[in-house]
RNA sequence: GCCGGGUUAGCUCAGGGGCAGAGCAACCGCCUUGUAAGCGGUAGGUCGUGGGUUCAAUUCCCACACCCGGCUCCA
């Protein structure tokens, strides 16, 4: 081995001998030209660096390729720089702020002179300018400089100066670190004589490595996410390692758009949001209502057999109740305004828990009654700010599948553990298989109760998660004001994540309401309260389900399960007999008479996403058979009607108890 | 709440200071049909609401309601 050579170690443990002062790109080159072509950055000694970084003797080096998560992150971050350069070139005087890579893409926030805003036409012009920059194959040249020099360099860019000052003064909350790194010096990346951006990197070697991107939309965004700060103009884009990856992404977006629950709800005549009713308030049409009812029936069935007791509580309550619970203190702005009445002030309820506390407190409780599980499909009203409403997913009046479990402290861990089983089992019935767990902990500024009880409650939740042996992430400071919680996310049929269920531990409301039970020691004790919702909001869950199934509800949930189509009028009598028999067994069935051609009627049924279309003609009348056209399957002619019925019964059996299937 | 865009027939959308348009759906005929759009006809509108400019406003301006994309918020 010559003295002027170095050895570096690759991720697989092998080592490689290179000439001294070789760069990461040289290393990639020496491994293979295909790798070098795919390379966008390197990880040297655990740190993400540019490909132009020089390697030293003994370095651990991994080449980051464009088709990895880390590689796409680099591509997107670099593309954001190109966006900034294009905007600065096209809009003289524009101030650029931050431009990070995000899931599937990137954005960059700008402030335009005179408070101007971007239009869709601007977006096209900017994208075209970006393509010029890519074509010019400008290098990304890294430089480190002192804070003083950097401040001088960005003298016309107040937001950049603010970032530099915050990071170097140690005031950064971490969000800025992605831009500059930190320490006494900062790094910048220069593309041209006129364009240089503050950045930690790494970046691709040159803009020619980019190109599979698209600008998606323009939106307002607050500087530093601060509602009281200036409103900036944000441009969102997406960027990928190849044309095919970009196309796939755009196809996924189109697929998601097709599944949009607001669109499907109109197409399938499920529900609507009449403007006359006011924002965020829905009315349920018969076909949406039957699906919702089935969901609720299933929920009631599971709760009834799961040891819960049903309760009902009113929609309004005296302000005193919400003062006791603390809701008025923490969420007054999110509550509907009060109504003054002869004997006091009343509010529409934003939560059911205070009322369940009153039911508990109505009489003295014994330890023998615990855990006491109260369940209600309780409709609540929350004054969501106008700009936050979003179909069924963010709505002002909604129904929670809400339970409050009152238990002794020593029962808490077991109760949470069995609750997790219960939640997952219910969610699985709706076709969800992929779950993620999040533990939210206390925010000292927005909470009540002693440190001690918060620690106990958090420990109980962690214990339950560990007993289930599941991975979970921790969200610091995300808890409710009364206690920590576990939230459960699910992935839907096309891989999107939705937060649905929540299990919350509460030592505080029992104290505020003075809840007690008499223990076996004949002394008074304070119960623990567990809040939990599986669907969360029935409306929101319905919206998620609609997108998850793309409108094609499974047979047990479908508004119409079977449609019978007589080939001609002559077969209508036979068709009617079949319909009556199926309805007699509780199935949801209809018939469309032969006023239109069969092909047209089949098409309509398919567009309505019906699970089964039965076609009956001469052969079928003669042989007591049907033609079965199942959703997503092949047509089978000459099926014995009884055989189809046996399959249909088997398919829907056991979800709901007898008598609740419609 | 903030920034931007939007609202025309039941739905999807075109149009544009001077008689309001299409496709699908609906309704009425004809066709009697074997697995994803048969043919013909009819009807359907205070162009989101209110105000303003104008000889004239669905079109331009303002306000409000609702919707969409984000931001912020989300017990």
């Amino acid at each position: 081995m010559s003295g002027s050579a170095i050895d570096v170690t690759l991720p697989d443990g092998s080592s490689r001998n290179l000439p001294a002062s070789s760069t990461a790109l040289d290393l990639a080159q020496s491994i293979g030209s295909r790798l070098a072509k795919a390379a966008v950055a390197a990880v040297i000694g655990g740190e993400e660096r540019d490909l132009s970084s020089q390697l030293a003797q003994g370095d651990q080096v991994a080449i980051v390729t464009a088709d990895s998560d880390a590689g796409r992150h680099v591509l997107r971050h670099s593309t954001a720089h190109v966006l900034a350069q294009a905007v600065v070139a096209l809009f003289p005087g524009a101030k650029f702020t931050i431009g990070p890579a995000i899931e599937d893409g990137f954005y960059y926030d700008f402030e335009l002179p005179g408070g101007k805003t971007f239009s869709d036409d601007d977006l096209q012009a900017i994208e075209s300018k970006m393509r010029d920059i890519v074509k010019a194959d400008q290098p990304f040249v890294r430089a480190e400089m002192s804070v003083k020099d950097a401040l001088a360099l960005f003298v016309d860019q107040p937001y950049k100066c603010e970032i530099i000052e915050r990071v170097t003064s140690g005031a950064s909350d971490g969000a800025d670190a992605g831009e500059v790194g930190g320490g006494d010096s900062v790094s910048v990346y220069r593309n041209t004589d006129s364009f240089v951006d503050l950045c930690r990197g790494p970046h691709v070697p040159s803009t020619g490595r980019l190109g599979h991107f698209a600008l998606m939309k323009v939106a307002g965004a607050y500087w530093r996410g601060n509602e009281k700060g200036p409103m900036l103009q944000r441009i969102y884009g997406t960027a990928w390692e190849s044309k095919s990856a970009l196309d796939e992404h755009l196809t996924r977006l189109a697929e998601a758009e097709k599944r949009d629950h607001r669109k499907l709800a109109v197409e399938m005549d499920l529900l609507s949001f009449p403007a006359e009713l006011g924002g965020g308030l829905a009315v349920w049409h018969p076909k949406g209502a039957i699906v919702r009812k089935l969901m609720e029936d299933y929920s009631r069935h599971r709760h009834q057999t799961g040891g819960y007791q049903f309760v009902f509580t009113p929609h309004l309550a005296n302000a005193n109740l919400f003062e006791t619970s603390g809701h008025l203190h923490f969420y007054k702005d999110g509550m509907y305004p009060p109504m003054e009445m002869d004997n006091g002030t009343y509010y529409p309820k934003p939560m059911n828990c205070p009322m369940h506390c009153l039911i508990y407190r109505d009489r003295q409780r014994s330890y023998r009654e615990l855990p006491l599980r109260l369940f209600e499909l309780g409709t609540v009203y929350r004054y969501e700010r106008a700009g936050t409403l979003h179909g069924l997913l963010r709505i002002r009046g909604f129904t929670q599948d809400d339970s409050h479990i009152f238990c002794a402290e020593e029962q808490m861990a077991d109760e949470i553990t069995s609750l997790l089983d219960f939640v997952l089992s219910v969610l699985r019935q709706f076709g969800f298989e992929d779950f993620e767990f999040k533990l939210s902990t206390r925010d000292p500024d927005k909470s009540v109760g002693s440190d001690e009880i918060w620690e106990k409650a958090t420990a109980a939740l962690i214990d339950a998660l560990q007993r289930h042996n599941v991975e979970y992430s921790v969200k610091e400071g995300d808890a409710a004001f009364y206690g920590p919680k576990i939230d459960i996310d699910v992935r839907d049929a096309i891989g999107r994540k939705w937060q649905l269920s929540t299990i919350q531990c509460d030592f505080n409301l029992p104290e505020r309401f003075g809840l007690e039970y008499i223990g076996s020691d004949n002394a008074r004790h304070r119960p623990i309260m567990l809040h939990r919702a599986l669907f969360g909001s029935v409306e929101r869950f319905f919206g998620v389900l609609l997108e998850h199934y793309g409108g094609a509800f499974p047979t047990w949930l479908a508004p119409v399960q079977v449609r019978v189509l007589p080939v001609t009028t002559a077969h209508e009598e036979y068709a009617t007999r079949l319909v009556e028999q199926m309805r007699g067994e509780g199935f949801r069935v209809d018939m469309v008479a032969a006023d239109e051609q069969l092909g047209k009627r089949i098409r309509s049924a398919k567009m309505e996403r019906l699970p089964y279309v039965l076609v009956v003609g001469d052969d079928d009348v003669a042989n007591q058979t049907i033609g079965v056209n199942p959703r997503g399957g092949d047509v089978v002619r000459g099926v014995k009607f009884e055989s189809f019925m046996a399959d249909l019964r088997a398919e829907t059996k056991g979800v709901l108890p007898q008598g609740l299937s419609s």
Side-chain angles (χ1 to χ4, degrees):
Chain A
M1 190 185 301
S2 99
S4 62
I6 54 168
D7 287 300
V8 298
T9 311
L10 299 178
D12 66 358
S14 68
S15 73
R16 216 150 172 105
N17 186 254
L18 295 162
S21 75
S22 288
T23 64
L25 184 59
D26 295 332
L27 169 66
Q29 207 70 267
S30 83
I31 296 171
S33 61
R34 203 137 41 127
L35 179 66
K37 216 175 149 210
V40 291
V43 176
I44 304 172
E47 255 182 70
E48 284 212 325
R49 304 280 297 277
D50 294 322
L51 281 175
S52 58
S53 305
Q54 276 202 7
L55 302 178
Q57 170 62 30
D59 275 345
Q60 297 269 348
V61 188
I63 300 299
V64 176
T65 55
D67 59 356
S68 65
D69 285 344
R72 280 185 286 265
H73 188 92
V74 171
L75 283 181
R76 288 163 184 163
H77 197 176
S78 297
T79 308
H81 278 232
V82 173
L83 167 60
Q85 185 187 151
V87 167
V88 171
L90 292 172
F91 298 84
K95 309 287 184 248
F96 54 125
T97 68
I98 58 167
I102 53 174
E103 190 173 2
D104 294 340
F106 60 91
Y107 67 79
Y108 216 113
D109 286 349
F110 303 94
E111 185 183 81
L112 295 182
K116 280 217 275 289
T117 56
F118 292 118
S119 68
D120 285 350
D121 289 345
D122 292 335
L123 226 52
Q124 282 185 23
I126 294 165
E127 188 167 324
S128 152
K129 181 76 185 171
M130 288 172 70
R131 306 236 174 256
D132 293 343
I133 294 168
V134 167
K135 205 175 283 173
D137 199 19
Q138 303 166 354
F140 275 89
V141 182
R142 181 188 175 92
E144 305 241 353
M145 58 180 64
S146 69
V147 168
K148 191 169 157 249
D149 289 347
L151 289 173
L153 181 63
F154 291 106
V155 68
D156 294 329
Q157 293 291 341
Y159 293 100
K160 293 292 175 193
C161 291
E162 190 179 326
I163 294 166
I164 294 166
E165 278 161 359
R166 279 176 64 105
V167 170
T168 54
S169 70
S172 171
D173 49 10
D176 302 309
E179 297 294 314
V180 280
D184 299 335
S185 65
V186 299
S187 57
V188 300
Y189 280 79
R190 182 175 289 281
N191 289 117
T192 67
D193 288 346
S194 57
F195 185 79
V196 59
D197 195 356
L198 187 65
C199 191
R200 180 182 54 178
H203 280 289
V204 295
S206 67
T207 58
R209 295 299 313 276
L210 311 171
H212 307 292
F213 66 84
L215 296 187
M216 306 300 285
K217 55 201 168 196
V218 53
Y222 296 110
W223 170 235
R224 294 187 178 286
N226 176 5
E227 227 181 321
K228 297 189 176 72
M231 172 65 70
L232 305 172
Q233 288 283 298
R234 174 171 299 178
I235 294 175
Y236 282 96
T238 186
W240 297 84
E241 68 275 19
S242 64
K243 171 135 189 358
S244 61
L246 172 62
D247 289 346
E248 266 173 49
H249 174 66
L250 296 176
T251 306
R252 275 197 298 277
L253 291 183
E255 173 61 24
E257 202 174 320
K258 267 190 268 174
R259 289 168 174 260
D260 189 308
H261 72 280
R262 294 163 300 188
K263 199 175 153 143
L264 290 174
V266 173
E267 275 176 25
M268 298 174 70
D269 191 18
L270 301 175
L271 51 95
S272 57
F273 292 90
E276 294 87 335
L277 205 52
L281 299 167
V283 289
W284 293 74
H285 304 190
K287 283 192 177 142
I290 184 67
V291 178
R292 174 180 174 159
K293 179 178 176 295
L294 289 159
M295 289 165 53
E296 292 180 349
D297 287 344
Y298 179 71
S299 173
R300 287 198 186 91
H301 168 57
R302 291 298 307 269
H303 282 88
Q304 189 157 9
T305 54
Y308 289 78
Q309 304 183 67
F310 294 177
V311 296
F312 292 96
T313 64
H315 291 202
L316 300 178
N318 194 297
N320 295 333
L321 181 68
F322 299 118
E323 266 154 28
T324 303
S325 70
H327 288 99
L328 263 176
H329 179 250
F330 285 97
Y331 296 107
K332 191 165 196 290
D333 291 345
M335 288 168 66
Y336 266 86
M339 287 164 268
E340 297 301 334
M341 292 163 71
D342 35 6
N343 63 343
T345 303
Y346 284 72
Y347 282 92
K349 67 172 168 181
M351 285 200 46
N352 303 301
C353 37
M355 302 197 184
H356 291 184
C357 286
L358 297 182
I359 292 170
Y360 180 94
R361 202 177 61 181
D362 185 61
R363 63 172 169 77
Q364 198 168 57
R365 300 287 175 177
S366 154
Y367 73 97
R368 296 175 194 276
E369 292 181 76
L370 307 184
L372 179 72
R373 308 184 185 94
L374 302 183
F375 173 77
E376 175 177 20
L377 286 163
T379 302
V380 298
Y381 295 89
R382 296 181 184 176
Y383 188 76
E384 302 287 1
R385 293 158 87 184
T388 63
L389 299 173
H390 184 91
L392 285 171
L393 303 182
R394 193 78 181 271
I395 197 172
R396 282 181 175 154
F398 61 95
T399 304
Q400 295 179 309
D401 59 331
D402 208 0
S403 267
H404 298 96
I405 299 169
F406 302 88
C407 64
E409 198 176 316
E410 57 274 16
Q411 293 172 318
M412 177 171 58
D414 282 345
E415 192 65 19
I416 295 169
T417 300
S418 62
L419 207 40
L420 272 175
D421 285 331
F422 184 70
V423 171
L424 299 187
S425 144
V426 170
L427 292 179
R428 285 198 178 96
Q429 178 61 37
F430 291 93
F432 297 113
E433 290 297 337
D434 195 354
F435 308 106
E436 285 176 34
F437 303 84
K438 295 180 300 193
L439 175 72
S440 294
T441 60
R442 182 176 197 178
D443 178 349
D445 297 332
K446 286 187 192 168
S447 54
V448 293
S450 72
D451 291 349
E452 191 202 346
I453 61 182
W454 273 83
E455 273 160 32
K456 270 189 202 165
T458 308
L461 291 173
I462 291 173
D463 182 49
L465 287 165
Q466 285 175 345
R467 285 205 222 173
H468 274 76
N469 203 23
V470 292
E471 302 266 315
Y472 63 93
S473 58
V474 177
K475 301 188 83 177
E476 300 283 350
D478 244 26
F481 71 83
Y482 46 70
K485 61 176 178 172
I486 295 171
D487 288 325
I488 301 171
D489 288 352
V490 303
R491 292 224 178 242
D492 74 6
I494 60 170
R496 294 173 302 175
K497 209 156 82 169
W498 306 92
Q499 185 183 313
L500 297 177
S501 310
T502 187
I503 298 174
Q504 309 177 347
C505 221
D506 184 359
F507 289 71
N508 289 301
L509 281 185
E511 195 169 305
R512 286 171 161 266
F513 279 93
L515 305 185
E516 294 178 336
Y517 66 91
I518 307 297
S520 57
D521 58 358
N522 200 30
R524 290 171 186 271
H525 299 274
R526 179 129 298 156
I528 308 300
M529 197 172 160
L530 302 175
H531 306 236
R532 39 107 293 177
L534 279 45
F535 296 158
S537 138
V538 175
E539 286 80 354
R540 183 181 141 85
F541 191 80
F542 180 93
V544 171
L545 267 194
L546 193 48
E547 302 214 359
H548 173 58
Y549 289 128
F553 288 112
T555 305
W556 76 276
L557 271 178
V560 176
Q561 298 169 303
V562 182
R563 172 164 299 163
V564 184
L565 303 179
V567 174
T568 76
T569 0
H571 314 114
E572 278 175 20
E573 196 188 319
Y574 176 63
T576 304
R577 279 215 307 279
L578 302 186
V579 169
E580 279 168 4
Q581 182 174 339
M582 287 187 276
R583 282 189 182 155
E585 288 195 30
F587 291 105
R588 299 180 294 282
V589 186
D590 65 11
M591 180 184 95
V592 174
D595 295 332
E596 296 277 5
Q597 282 192 320
L598 182 63
K600 173 81 170 279
R601 287 178 286 151
I602 299 270
R603 178 180 154 83
S604 300
K606 292 293 173 188
M607 306 264 275
E608 287 178 53
R609 301 166 174 84
L610 296 181
Y612 293 102
V613 178
L614 307 186
V615 174
V616 293
D618 286 337
D619 302 349
D620 301 300
V621 174
N623 304 312
Q624 302 297 295
T625 58
I626 52 176
V628 180
N629 186 336
R631 184 175 64 201
D634 296 326
V635 172
V636 188
R637 291 271 304 264
V639 176
K640 283 286 177 198
F641 178 61
E642 259 319 309
S643 149
F644 170 76
M645 286 303 290
D647 290 347
L648 187 62
R649 285 182 207 115
E651 187 183 351
T652 52
K653 193 181 163 200
V655 182
L656 285 166
Q658 281 283 312
L660 270 182
S661 58
S662 60

